[in-house]
Structures are given as C-alpha cells and as structure tokens.
Amino acid sequence: MEEDPVPNMEDEDDEDELDWLQEQEVFVSRESPAERSGHIAVTDGSCMFIWGGYKNADIEAAEFTDLYLPKNEIWIYNMETGRWRMKRSEGDVPNSMSGSCGSCVDGVLYLFGGHQARGNTNLVYRLPLRASVLRWEKMSDLTGLAPTCKDKLGCWVYRNQLAYFGGYGYIAQPGHRGTFALDENSFMGNHAGRGWNNHIHILDLETAAWSQPITKGDAPSPRAAHACASIGNRGYVFGGRYMDHRLNDLYCINMDTWEWSEMCVPQHGPVGRSWHSFTPVSADHLFLFGGFTTDRETLSDAWLYCVGKNEWKPFKHEHTERPRLWHTACLGPDGEVFVFGGCANNLLSHQQAAHTNELLLFTVQPKSLVRLCFDVAVLHQKRLEHMWDVLPKALLLRLKQRTVADS
C-alpha cells in the first residue's frame, strides 16, 4: 500500500491502513483551517475549497493518536483577498476521510473514494459550491462497473468526464481492465487484502455512468499516492509508490484515443517520490512540488515540466526549508500556485507527524496586467482612491476587497 502509518510497530518498514485514525472528529472554533494532511482542495473562480484530511489529536496520550477533521466543514480561501472563512455543509455529508479524490466541474465538487475509519470506499458525492447553502448529494444511481474501494488515486477532467487512475484498495473483482498487484503486508491484523492498481474508470457526468476505456500502448505500473494533471485532451501521471519503490516516471495518455505514452525525458529530472503535487500552470507547463522518497525523505524541491520541449527544469523558490508531503496544490486566477497543508516530516516514523496549515505561494508566471494595476492602486490608495468610483462595478468590488484585506 502507499503510506498508511501505524504507530508503535516493531518493524518500521511495515505499513498498514489508517485504522488507527479515530472516528470521532475535532470541533474547534478558529479563523483558519486546522493543520492537516490527506485532504482535498479544488478551486472555483477566485476561491479555493478545502475538505477532509486528518491531524494530530490535541490531547496528550501515551501513543500518538490522529483524528479526522470534521466532515461537515468546508474551508474557503479567497485567493484575491487572502482571507479564510468556514461554511458548514449539510445533506448527504460523506464520512470523514483522508486520501479521497476531489475535482471541480462547472462549480460542482465531485468527491470519490478515500479511507475512513472502517476502511476504503468507492462512493461518489457531489457538492454545488456556488449555492447559498452547501448541500452534499450522494450519487447513488450510477450505472456501470464502479471502481474498487480505494484511496490515494488521481483524476483527470475532460469533456464533462472524470477519469480516475490508480490507487490503493481492495482486491479487484473480475471484469476490471488493468492490473492489480496484491500487497502481502495488507493482511496483517486480519485486514482484508489490498494492493495497488493501474485501472482507469471514467464517470460520465451527463449519463451518470461508469465505464472503462480499452487503452493502447504500454500502461504505467500499478501505483498509489501518485499525482495526475491534465492539459487539454492529455492526462499526465508522475511518480507514486509501487511495492517498495517510489517512482519518477512520467506518462501521458491521450483521452481521445486512450493511448499511453511514456515521456522519456533525456536529462536529469526529479527523484522518485509519492505524496507530491503536480499542477498544470499553462498550456505547456506542469509544476511539481514536494513529496516523499524511497529513503523516507520529505522533499521541498520544485520542478517545471515543459510539454513542448519534453524537459524538466528545477524551479527556484523561497520555501526550500518547508518540505511537504500529502499536501494539496491549486492554481490561482493570477498564475500562482497555492500549496496548503500536508506534513513536514517523515509521516511513517515513530515521531509525531508535523502536520501544518501553512499556505505556501509559488509565483510560476508573470503577473497579469490587471493584477499589476490592482497592486499599484492598492499601494497608492490615498492618492488614487478619489477616482475609483468611475471604475466598472466588478473591478471596483475587487479593488475594495483587496484594500479591506490589506488593511
């Protein structure tokens, strides 16, 4: 499996599922999200939405104990004003989980899979993010062969379809296309057998039906805790864990023909890793940050992959002293990558996990002219404010939000 730590085990190399996570939740009144790992994050407009994950227990205990975050809390970060707010959701609220897969399509969050206190799930939920009341809906009438119950998978969004790839979960029943590799260690503690897979399952949002494509080419090996990103009709997957190895291979699949291609990059690139992030930042570039190596090192390096040139380039940044694994990364409206949460140390050691709620900002492309004008207007507010009322209402509202946030 990929990285499910178990405390106080005699053999540190043994890794099992997150059954040690307590089912009760932590309710704390606060102005920003609690520290966490294994959560999801999606964007809609200028807002980033955070759900789920787990954290260290706040109480002193003889053994390290971790708790899931409250299942009904949705944390919203306004990427223009830099402010957090929390909204409580209702309806068919999913169980508290880690390792789920979240995607946003036309203002709706789709949540699949994950690991809860009772094991893995393959349920799908939707949450309209633009509604005044956040109400979860369980998608219980889906047809077709659903994926196995699993977590730590990836997803590509294309043409109103969600294509899920890989993950770690229960033994695949007959009928699933692809490879399943059993993890012999998963039987420890009388647990159901689990393992890695390289399955692709497509959820068509118009027909509410599952399907599996017939792929061509050499598919990636089974894996979990990899990272997926899509640009147009191309879906990319980098790294992840398979057996005892954390990989540094890069694959691309054409989502019109479903043909796999391995991107054999000629020069030196990122080391093998799992629990990293991989974010499209332009029509030709993907941004890689952080992760966890085979030698159990938590990483803080960043890379840009250029699709057109098929090359990796190290990306210099100011967060080299802030390693992260099992964090999230989202592209903002002005070309900045927002990395939230994650763990800053070895999550599989016998030390307490260093979960964080810190937000790291990476500027991966020049600011737009609109953004530069806003920055200047805010900087020289006293001299320019008397002229702001002649601006279009939408620009005036954004400018006032910025000035309130900066005051």
Side-chain angles (χ1 to χ4, degrees), residues 87-193:
K87 293 186 70 173
R88 297 197 184 277
S89 59
E90 53 187 59
D92 300 324
V93 181
N95 289 327
S96 298
M97 289 186 286
S98 63
S100 301
C101 194
S103 305
C104 185
V105 180
D106 296 331
V108 178
L109 164 63
Y110 293 90
L111 180 75
F112 171 80
H115 192 279
Q116 53 185 321
R118 298 176 181 86
N120 286 119
T121 179
N122 66 348
L123 298 178
V124 184
Y125 296 84
R126 67 190 303 273
L127 179 68
L129 299 174
R130 300 172 189 172
S132 57
V133 177
L134 297 180
R135 184 180 297 275
W136 289 96
E137 304 167 14
K138 181 179 176 181
M139 300 180 68
S140 55
D141 296 327
L142 301 176
T143 60
L145 179 64
T148 56
C149 298
K150 56 185 173 180
D151 64 344
K152 307 182 194 74
L153 63 154
C155 180
W156 305 297
V157 179
Y158 181 58
R159 289 185 174 175
N160 212 29
Q161 294 180 332
L162 304 176
Y164 296 102
F165 171 75
Y168 184 87
Y170 298 128
I171 297 174
Q173 300 302 313
H176 291 272
R177 293 192 180 105
T179 304
F180 176 88
L182 181 65
D183 178 10
E184 298 293 341
N185 293 325
S186 65
F187 292 105
M188 295 178 60
N190 294 321
H191 294 305

Side-chain angles (χ1 to χ4, degrees), residues 373-386:
C373 290
F374 274 122
D375 292 345
V376 171
V378 172
L379 181 63
H380 300 286
Q381 179 179 355
K382 292 183 178 179
R383 293 175 53 189
L384 302 175
E385 192 171 16
H386 67 281

Side-chain angles (χ1 to χ4, degrees), residues 185-397:
N185 293 325
S186 65
F187 292 105
M188 295 178 60
N190 294 321
H191 294 305
R194 298 199 297 166
W196 303 268
N197 69 79
N198 66 355
H199 301 161
I200 297 178
H201 284 83
I202 301 170
L203 177 58
D204 190 307
L205 300 179
E206 293 183 3
T207 62
W210 287 108
S211 64
Q212 277 198 281
I214 300 175
T215 62
K216 296 177 285 186
D218 294 328
S221 63
R223 63 192 63 203
H226 49 282
C228 290
S230 56
I231 298 178
N233 69 338
R234 296 163 296 176
Y236 295 87
V237 57
F238 178 81
R241 181 184 169 189
Y242 176 52
M243 299 293 184
D244 294 326
H245 303 287
R246 291 172 179 89
L247 310 167
N248 71 338
D249 51 1
L250 176 64
Y251 281 81
C252 173
I253 190 165
N254 183 314
M255 290 184 283
D256 288 320
T257 64
W258 296 107
E259 182 171 4
W260 281 109
S261 301
E262 182 174 5
M263 312 306 293
C264 298
V265 184
Q267 78 280 10
H268 172 73
V271 299
R273 65 191 69 198
S274 59
W275 274 340
H276 48 287
S277 57
F278 202 33
T279 312
V281 294
S282 77
D284 200 43
H285 292 87
L286 297 160
F287 177 72
L288 174 72
F289 174 68
F292 193 58
T293 70
T294 301
D295 295 330
R296 299 193 173 190
E297 176 188 1
T298 305
L299 299 169
S300 63
D301 61 337
W303 296 76
L304 276 176
Y305 174 72
C306 179
V307 174
K309 296 180 180 179
N310 188 32
E311 68 176 13
W312 287 104
K313 284 188 176 181
F315 182 82
K316 295 182 179 180
H317 60 90
E318 60 184 18
H319 304 304
T320 55
E321 300 301 317
R322 293 178 172 87
R324 292 290 183 271
L325 62 82
W326 219 0
H327 52 280
T328 54
C330 293
L331 181 66
D334 292 312
E336 297 159 319
V337 175
F338 292 80
V339 169
F340 173 73
C343 184
N345 64 354
N346 180 356
L347 194 57
L348 302 183
S349 70
H350 294 303
Q351 300 177 345
Q352 185 159 329
H355 302 294
T356 180
N357 66 347
E358 192 174 10
L359 191 64
L360 308 181
L361 185 63
F362 296 83
T363 302
V364 296
Q365 56 182 271
K367 294 181 179 180
S368 67
L369 292 177
V370 173
R371 173 66 180 272
L372 291 173
C373 290
F374 274 122
D375 292 345
V376 171
V378 172
L379 181 63
H380 300 286
Q381 179 179 355
K382 292 183 178 179
R383 293 175 53 189
L384 302 175
E385 192 171 16
H386 67 281
M387 297 185 290
W388 288 1
D389 287 339
V390 301
L391 291 171
K393 290 184 177 180
L395 292 178
L396 180 60
L397 177 61

